[in-house]
Amino acid sequence: MMEHGGERYPHFPADVLRNLKHINIRHDDVIVSAFPKSGSHWVHEITRLLKLGRLDETNFEKNDVQLEYVPEATYAQNPSPRILSSHVNFRSLPTQVLEKKCKLIYILRNPKDIAVSFYNFCIKMRHLTGYKGTWASFLPMLTQGKLAFGSWFDYVLNWEKGKEMYPDLPVLTLFYEDLKEDTLCGVKKINDFLDLHRDDRFLQKVSDHVTFTNLKRIKGRNHLHDGQSVVFRKGEVGDWKNWFTVAQDEWFDQLYQEKMADCQLRFRYTLDDCN
Ligand code: A3P
């Protein structure tokens, strides 16, 4: 990990992080934003296909246009609208995001499934993350913000505050769980938000194309551990139940109440929950 501007990041190129605040943003850029493991590969791909207007199996992914990771020159010449991505806090977004009011697609996922997904990622990518600990020791590290990208609580609260402070900023907020339950509905929301006017037949095609199984087939070979995709792991809502002990669950719920007392967001921890 490395620190920059008071935030924790994976070992990303220092010059890219130094440039983060100064990136040249276009008014028609779209930035898919989320805390890691919230489903950003999935939503980035939906958005990319909607913009393209046809299905495509190019092995391109959100990491290839990630603001805090990839040098600006790599995507500087991409035709508009550029579909970019980021895991940074609202406060760390490039200054021109607020000035140019580009569109942000912001994804939220319940923090228990994020914790499980992040743990599996860190363990499998230990050659990069350096993490060798247990699930039990991972959970407090994550909640205390000791890992890359800091605390999920801080991230979500900062984004909620940012959206409130800049009501003119076009932000589409999507929940992973809703997208899982009704992918077509999410695809339509993105289509409307971006004023793309794709027809219903194409929206259905995109929705059918971006299933977990299909994206895993197309993009799953990018980051492998023992022949298994690190990013496309399970793609389910509620896998946390297989990991959290009763004590961890109670502890986490208590912590959530403390940290998120003033936050209006409601998360779904299973698909039976309503938000
Ligand atoms: P799991 O580890 O729970 O399986 P990100 O892209 O932000 O890193 O998030 C990764 C998570 O999104 C992983 O969660 C991954 O499986 C899930 N995901 C990716 N594509 C998906 C899809 N098409 N449907 C459901 N979940 C998907």
Side-chain angles (χ1 to χ4, degrees):
M1 274 189 312
M2 55 195 294
E3 297 217 354
H4 179 80
E7 313 284 353
R8 287 181 181 212
Y9 295 99
H11 211 272
F12 285 166
D15 52 338
V16 174
L17 287 172
R18 266 197 302 275
N19 184 48
L20 180 59
K21 272 275 162 202
H22 315 290
I23 291 173
N24 291 294
I25 294 294
R26 302 180 196 155
H27 76 278
D28 55 3
D29 281 341
V30 179
I31 307 177
V32 175
S33 301
F35 191 81
K37 316 325 288 173
S38 303
S40 46
H41 284 79
W42 186 17
V43 173
H44 189 272
E45 185 62 2
I46 294 172
T47 311
R48 191 181 77 84
L49 294 176
L50 285 174
K51 176 205 154 184
L52 204 59
R54 60 179 166 79
L55 298 187
D56 169 56
E57 297 205 353
T58 307
N59 198 10
F60 181 86
E61 60 170 19
K62 62 108 191 161
N63 301 29
D64 299 325
V65 281
Q66 191 172 333
L67 300 181
E68 64 276 20
Y69 172 49
V70 176
E72 185 179 0
T74 313
Y75 52 85
Q77 305 307 325
N78 287 10
S80 290
R82 299 181 299 182
I83 314 296
L84 307 169
S85 81
S86 173
H87 288 315
V88 304
N89 257 301
F90 189 92
R91 60 179 169 256
S92 303
L93 285 169
T95 311
Q96 288 191 10
V97 167
L98 299 176
E99 292 168 6
K100 302 272 175 80
K101 293 191 173 52
C102 71
K103 291 185 176 176
L104 299 162
I105 300 178
Y106 174 53
I107 318 150
L108 286 161
R109 185 182 192 188
N110 85 65
K112 293 180 189 175
D113 277 330
I114 286 186
V116 170
S117 183
F118 210 168
Y119 171 71
N120 279 281
F121 179 85
C122 287
I123 284 289
K124 289 173 186 162
M125 298 289 274
R126 66 171 72 85
H127 58 289
L128 291 179
T129 63
Y131 189 74
K132 298 185 184 78
T134 60
W135 160 242
S137 54
F138 181 85
L139 203 48
M141 283 182 76
L142 182 68
T143 53
Q144 288 163 20
K146 290 187 175 161
L147 300 165
F149 295 106
S151 149
W152 176 87
F153 296 112
D154 177 46
Y155 178 93
V156 171
L157 291 173
N158 186 242
W159 265 85
E160 290 308 303
K161 190 170 152 200
K163 288 194 287 180
E164 211 178 294
M165 279 174 67
Y166 298 94
D168 294 346
L169 194 65
V171 184
L172 173 67
T173 301
L174 297 174
F175 285 85
Y176 176 99
E177 293 76 17
D178 296 347
L179 195 60
K180 180 79 188 171
E181 186 174 62
D182 188 346
T183 306
L184 179 60
C185 175
V187 170
K188 282 181 178 168
K189 281 184 186 169
I190 298 173
N191 179 57
D192 292 347
F193 179 64
L194 301 182
D195 297 317
L196 286 168
H197 307 290
R198 302 296 182 211
D199 64 32
D200 287 349
R201 220 168 127 252
F202 181 65
L203 298 182
Q204 184 68 57
K205 271 191 184 177
V206 171
S207 174
D208 294 343
H209 180 85
V210 298
T211 59
F212 175 79
T213 313
N214 205 36
L215 288 194
K216 184 175 179 178
R217 175 184 66 79
I218 300 166
K219 296 176 194 295
R221 57 188 177 273
N222 280 0
H223 314 280
L224 294 176
H225 171 77
D226 287 345
Q228 294 291 315
S229 167
V230 171
V231 172
F232 298 90
R233 189 186 62 93
K234 265 194 158 177
E236 288 174 5
V237 178
D239 186 39
W240 63 270
K241 291 190 173 188
N242 298 315
W243 291 80
F244 279 66
T245 62
V246 172
Q248 284 169 339
D249 192 30
E250 287 173 2
W251 170 81
F252 190 90
D253 286 346
Q254 176 68 34
L255 186 66
Y256 187 97
Q257 296 304 329
E258 287 164 21
K259 300 263 188 195
M260 305 293 275
D262 298 328
C263 180
Q264 304 300 317
L265 293 171
R266 292 291 169 266
F267 289 93
R268 300 170 73 190
Y269 292 88
T270 71
L271 285 185
D272 295 332
D273 291 346
C274 301
N275 56 3

